[in-house]
Amino acid sequence: MEKTWLDLAGDVVVITGALGGMGRKIANDFAEQGAKLALVDLNEEATQSYAKELNNTYGVEAKGYACNSTVEEQVDALAKAVKADFGRIDVLVQTAAILTFSPLEDLALDEWKRTIDVNLTGYFLVSQRIGRVMIEQQSGRMVHISTIASIAPETYSGAYSPSKAGVNMLSKMIAGEWGQYGVRSNCVLPCFVKTPLSTKFYEDEEVEEGRRRMTANRRIGEVQDIANAVLYLASKRSDYTNGHELRVEGGFGNMIGDLVPKPGGRRQYAIDSKKPKN
């Protein structure tokens, strides 16, 4: 395959949550770049089927693996299998996550534990086992999907924000400890993006319009926006970026002042203030 700016052709990429809408788009874009793919999800038959689809479409080597990232023995087996099948692991992308809603005073302990297990403990186990391969080969790139809700709390979302805040710190620790071995770790923090986890939010037109107004770009993000960021951080083009949290949120973080009401609206207030005073 002809070399592209990202230069990902031939890289071995492990993607967790590969059957989700975000995982599928990211896998598709890596395949389009000529990367070799180890697709990971719970359903072995469906994961292998998607791997075959990418192989047929792009002519890349792709394999599907079943793994529950919260089960240590399964993650061990996954790392060994991918290393045996491909010989090395260049990139790890973690997308698997769950989101449930509850006021904290009503949040059941088992629900808290399940969210922490999937969203944080699973990320740790996969990072650790794949990381050992990367340390041995003295190179590797990790990209973890986090969220803006890891910085500003998604209230009434139970353990979701705490779990994703933990992912941010896990990534920083990986960068701090394994950077000396040529291993990089970064997070992508989406906000207001239509994903399988958030699609139901946008079924209400008022909610979608309200969220659109809260971004500087005045639009809701798409999975492609996330995939673009992931591929950049997974490429050698971001080689001096380590322990970073890349916000992919349409400028939402810049809009706090704009959301503070002023008489007649903020823009009109500014226009009116320039008119001559009687």
Side-chain angles (χ1 to χ4, degrees):
M1 176 173 287
E2 184 179 348
K3 184 176 180 179
T4 67
W5 186 79
L6 289 171
D7 193 21
L8 290 165
D11 283 357
V12 178
V13 181
V14 177
I15 302 174
T16 69
L19 294 182
M22 187 178 295
R24 281 180 178 269
K25 180 57 182 170
I26 291 169
N28 184 85
D29 285 11
F30 271 111
E32 197 171 25
Q33 292 289 323
K36 299 177 181 180
L37 296 169
L39 306 180
V40 183
D41 217 302
L42 295 172
N43 187 318
E44 184 172 15
E45 183 177 353
T47 307
Q48 290 177 347
S49 176
Y50 185 46
K52 184 177 181 180
E53 178 185 329
L54 293 177
N55 177 272
N56 292 337
T57 302
Y58 297 104
V60 297
E61 184 178 357
K63 295 181 180 293
Y65 303 84
C67 179
N68 182 335
S69 62
T70 68
V71 179
E72 188 173 10
E73 293 77 13
Q74 292 189 28
V75 178
D76 274 335
L78 171 69
K80 292 174 182 176
V82 175
K83 174 69 182 303
D85 289 341
F86 291 93
R88 60 182 295 108
I89 300 173
D90 299 295
V91 176
L92 167 65
V93 179
Q94 301 208 71
T95 76
I98 58 173
L99 169 60
T100 59
F101 295 94
S102 172
L104 285 175
E105 67 270 22
D106 298 326
L107 181 62
L109 181 59
D110 61 348
E111 188 176 341
W112 168 275
K113 288 181 176 179
R114 178 169 177 262
T115 302
I116 295 295
D117 277 352
V118 174
N119 293 1
L120 180 56
T121 304
Y123 276 48
F124 160 69
L125 286 173
V126 175
S127 294
Q128 185 186 62
R129 268 41 176 202
I130 299 296
R132 288 171 180 168
V133 177
M134 292 179 171
I135 289 171
E136 182 181 4
Q137 67 195 23
Q138 293 288 289
S139 67
R141 291 150 267 156
M142 297 185 179
V143 185
H144 316 278
I145 301 298
S146 182
T147 171
I148 289 296
S150 64
I151 297 174
E154 175 83 17
T155 53
Y156 305 105
S157 68
Y160 182 68
S161 284
S163 69
K164 288 299 191 176
V167 169
N168 296 350
M169 184 53 67
L170 171 64
S171 179
K172 290 179 185 295
M173 290 185 67
I174 291 171
E177 294 189 18
W178 297 349
Q180 62 186 312
Y181 306 119
V183 179
R184 295 191 292 112
S185 179
N186 294 287
C187 289
V188 173
L189 277 57
C191 181
F192 299 156
V193 175
K194 289 184 179 180
T195 70
L197 280 178
S198 67
T199 297
K200 60 183 179 181
F201 301 155
Y202 299 103
E203 294 174 357
D204 186 320
E205 292 183 3
E206 289 188 11
V207 169
E208 179 163 349
E209 178 57 30
R211 290 184 173 212
R212 186 181 293 115
R213 288 198 304 268
M214 294 177 71
T215 70
N217 287 23
R218 296 300 195 273
R219 74 171 176 88
I220 303 301
E222 301 292 343
V223 176
Q224 183 66 68
D225 298 307
I226 308 306
N228 291 342
V230 169
L231 263 67
Y232 167 69
L233 289 175
S235 77
K236 301 177 184 69
R237 293 292 182 177
S238 60
D239 191 58
Y240 206 53
T241 303
N242 202 3
H244 181 63
E245 294 156 6
L246 178 57
R247 303 185 184 192
V248 185
E249 35 83 296
F252 166 69
N254 300 316
M255 297 301 289
I256 300 300
D258 191 72
L259 298 175
V260 178
K262 282 193 174 180
R266 294 185 65 86
R267 177 178 171 78
Q268 191 59 47
Y269 183 85
I271 293 172
D272 292 344
S273 70
K274 298 178 72 68
K275 296 177 181 179
K277 304 295 189 296
N278 294 331

